[in-house]
């Protein structure tokens, strides 16, 4: 026994060594296959992006007849709705007028999408025509056209870029940045990101009050952000404030201040709530895209960092198909009425994931970008 044991041990050791060598070979092959799979996936992703970019470029052309027709219909519907509300208030049926405010508010959302297209230069071929219609609609939306246009185009140019945050988007901190804040600034950020504050209270406050002021600096909790200079803002804000004073002051002289307030305050509030929610969920979902340079890529940020928010047909029209936000971010020169046409004509776009209304509600809890997990997470998960 004493002589056979070393031989048995030797045989077993040889088998173990063979097994280890075999495992190492398999691991090496698996690693090579895994690396190949990663490279293949990256190449497939790049090829798909290239095809999508080429496809979307074909739809970046305004149709004058469709643009005029859509604007005329949208303005007629909005003016008919608020005109009916004014008539109801003046005849004592103000509760019915309030019941009409969601309808008029959604028509105002539609007008905001037209102002939005004008800001991108996609609604008309003529730059001056875009600016004239954009400014006219801004009197209805209470949003300074030139300031919003510049801030929003900056948002498009830097969406998903961790090195360029702070203009035209929802302020988003990373988990390490949030942990580095003082307790007071953590509270500020939590308050800011709470849906009740950001949407229900913050959106009307922003449209009615904050946009009357030339504010473009960073939030107090966001040292990493950069704002716009005052001289880039005040002319646009002052021009709109003057127009608001003339238009709504004139309406108040004609119908009474109480009537004007009872009609336009709830209408603009409904539009503010709707617009703020749409803007929030279109970039704040779990698997969105954030990256630092040189990894950041504008096309990837557009397609994978902007949602396809799937809405029923009436809401698609009322929101100017802005739920197709990934297409819009990639090719902002596509007019809103061509976005669905662009989407349906591409197998690549049809294969991308969508966000339902139910999915979007779950996004409200997400508040921080986690670089390690490459996901948006809640405060509890941070």
């Amino acid at each position: 026994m004493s002589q056979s044991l070393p031989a048995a041990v030797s045989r077993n050791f040889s088998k173990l060594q063979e097994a280890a060598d075999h495992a190492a070979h398999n691991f090496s092959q698996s690693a090579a296959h895994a690396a190949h799979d990663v490279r293949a996936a990256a190449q497939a992703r790049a090829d798909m992006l290239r095809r999508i970019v080429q496809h979307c470029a074909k739809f970046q052309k305004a149709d004058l007849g469709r643009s005029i027709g859509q604007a005329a219909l949208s303005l007629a519907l909005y003016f008919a709705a608020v005109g009916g509300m004014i008539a109801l208030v003046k005849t004592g049926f103000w509760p019915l007028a309030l019941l009409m405010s969601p309808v008029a508010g959604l028509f105002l959302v539609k007008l905001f999408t037209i102002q939005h297209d004008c800001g991108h230069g996609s609604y008309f071929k003529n730059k001056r025509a875009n600016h004239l219609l954009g400014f006219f609609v801004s009197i209805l939306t209470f949003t300074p056209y030139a300031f919003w246009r510049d801030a929003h185009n900056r948002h498009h140019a830097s969406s998903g870029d961790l090195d360029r945050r702070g203009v035209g988007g929802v302020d988003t901190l990373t988990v390490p940045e949030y942990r580095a804040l003082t307790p007071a600034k953590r509270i500020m950020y939590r308050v800011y990101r709470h849906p009740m504050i950001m949407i229900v209270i913050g959106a009307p406050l922003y449209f009615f009050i904050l946009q009357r002021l030339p504010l473009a600096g960073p939030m107090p909790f966001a040292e990493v952000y950069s704002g716009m200079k005052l001289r880039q803002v005040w002319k646009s804000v002052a021009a709109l404030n003057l127009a608001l004073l003339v238009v709504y002051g004139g309406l108040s002289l004609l119908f009474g201040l109480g009537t004007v307030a009872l009609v336009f305050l709830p209408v603009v509030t409904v539009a503010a709530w709707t617009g703020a929610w749409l803007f929030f969920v279109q970039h704040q979902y779990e698997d969105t895209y954030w990256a630092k340079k040189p990894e950041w890529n504008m096309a990837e940020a557009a397609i994978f960092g902007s949602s396809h928010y799937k809405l029923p047909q009436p809401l698609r029209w009322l929101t100017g198909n802005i739920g197709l936000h990934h297409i819009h971010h990639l090719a902002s020169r596509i007019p809103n009425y061509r976005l669905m046409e662009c989407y349906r004509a591409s197998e690549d776009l049809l294969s991308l994931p969508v966000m339902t209304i139910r999915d979007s509600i779950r996004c409200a809890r997400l508040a921080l970008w986690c670089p390690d997990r490459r996901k948006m997470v809640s405060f509890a998960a941070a």
Side-chain angles (χ1 to χ4, degrees):
M1 264 318 267
S2 62
Q3 293 179 352
S4 63
L5 184 60
V9 170
S10 177
R11 285 195 300 272
N12 288 340
F13 181 80
S14 296
K15 290 179 179 179
L16 288 171
Q17 185 65 47
E18 290 174 9
D21 292 341
H22 183 65
H25 176 70
N26 286 344
F27 179 80
S28 177
Q29 285 191 323
S30 297
H33 286 313
H36 177 268
D37 290 344
V38 169
R39 288 194 297 272
Q43 185 61 50
R45 181 179 171 115
D47 290 342
M48 182 183 71
L49 280 173
R50 191 177 299 109
R51 289 193 302 270
I52 291 175
V53 169
Q54 292 170 351
H55 170 77
C56 291
K58 302 171 187 175
F59 296 84
Q60 296 189 104
K61 184 178 180 182
D63 182 307
L64 181 61
R66 293 179 72 177
S67 293
I68 292 175
Q70 185 187 75
L73 176 61
S74 302
L75 287 166
L77 290 171
Y78 178 71
F79 288 140
V82 296
M85 291 176 68
I86 290 172
L88 286 170
V89 172
K90 294 301 289 182
T91 54
F93 294 100
W94 62 266
L96 288 177
L98 289 179
L99 289 176
M100 286 183 62
S101 58
V103 175
L106 289 175
F107 290 150
L108 186 57
V109 170
K110 177 62 177 180
L111 288 171
F112 191 94
T113 67
I114 292 174
Q115 176 185 334
H116 167 261
D117 276 11
C118 290
H120 283 299
S122 65
Y123 205 68
F124 297 115
K125 296 177 183 178
N126 183 275
K127 182 178 179 180
R128 184 173 177 81
N130 279 310
H131 292 347
L132 286 173
L133 180 60
F135 180 75
F136 175 75
V137 176
S138 76
I139 300 171
L140 308 177
T141 64
F142 283 62
T143 301
Y145 170 71
F147 171 39
W148 187 88
R149 177 196 66 208
D150 292 347
H152 187 67
N153 284 325
R154 286 174 182 236
H155 160 67
H156 270 253
S158 62
S159 180
D161 186 347
L162 288 169
D163 296 316
R164 292 189 295 164
R165 287 168 284 166
V167 177
V170 176
D171 287 338
T172 303
L173 295 179
T174 66
V175 171
E177 288 167 352
Y178 173 72
R179 289 173 177 169
L181 294 178
T182 64
K185 290 189 174 183
R186 285 192 188 187
I187 293 172
M188 289 181 192
Y189 185 69
R190 279 179 172 268
V191 168
Y192 165 76
R193 291 290 305 209
H194 195 285
M196 182 63 67
I197 301 299
M198 181 178 289
I199 309 294
V200 179
I201 298 173
L205 178 68
Y206 180 73
F207 275 80
F208 284 119
I209 305 299
L210 297 182
Q211 290 196 127
R212 310 284 71 76
L213 307 171
L215 301 175
M219 286 288 191
F221 51 76
E223 292 91 342
V224 297
Y225 291 23
S226 60
M228 295 174 69
K229 290 181 171 57
L230 181 63
R231 66 175 178 269
Q232 296 173 292
V233 181
W234 76 268
K235 288 184 180 179
S236 176
V237 172
L240 179 61
N241 288 348
L242 179 60
L244 293 175
L245 183 62
V246 171
V247 171
Y248 294 98
L251 289 173
S252 296
L253 291 174
L254 190 60
F255 299 111
L257 179 59
T259 297
V260 170
L262 196 58
V263 169
F264 290 100
L265 287 178
V267 168
V268 177
T269 296
V270 169
W273 285 337
T274 307
W277 174 252
L278 288 170
F279 193 73
F280 173 77
V281 298
Q282 285 164 342
H283 298 287
Q284 302 293 313
Y285 52 97
E286 187 174 18
D287 293 315
T288 189
Y289 176 100
W290 283 100
K292 284 181 173 288
K293 292 184 178 67
E295 179 188 349
W296 180 83
N297 176 279
M298 188 172 184
E300 282 196 285
I303 293 300
F304 301 112
S306 310
S307 67
H308 173 191
Y309 193 22
K310 190 174 183 180
L311 298 171
Q313 173 51 42
L315 289 180
R316 286 206 302 267
W317 186 84
L318 287 165
T319 59
N321 289 309
I322 202 63
L324 293 166
H325 211 60
H326 52 342
I327 302 175
H328 168 66
H329 256 262
L330 182 68
S332 61
R333 289 286 182 134
I334 300 178
N336 71 83
Y337 49 76
R338 300 200 71 189
L339 286 170
M340 185 56 68
E341 178 187 351
C342 176
Y343 172 70
R344 288 172 175 162
S346 167
E347 291 295 330
D348 290 314
L349 291 171
L350 288 168
S351 71
L352 294 174
V354 301
M355 177 193 293
T356 65
I357 293 176
R358 179 179 292 182
D359 294 333
S360 70
I361 294 171
R362 291 194 288 266
C363 294
R365 63 185 177 83
L366 304 175
L368 297 162
W369 172 253
C370 180
D372 295 332
R373 285 172 276 184
R374 301 186 70 83
K375 291 180 180 294
M376 288 291 296
V377 298
S378 65
F379 289 113

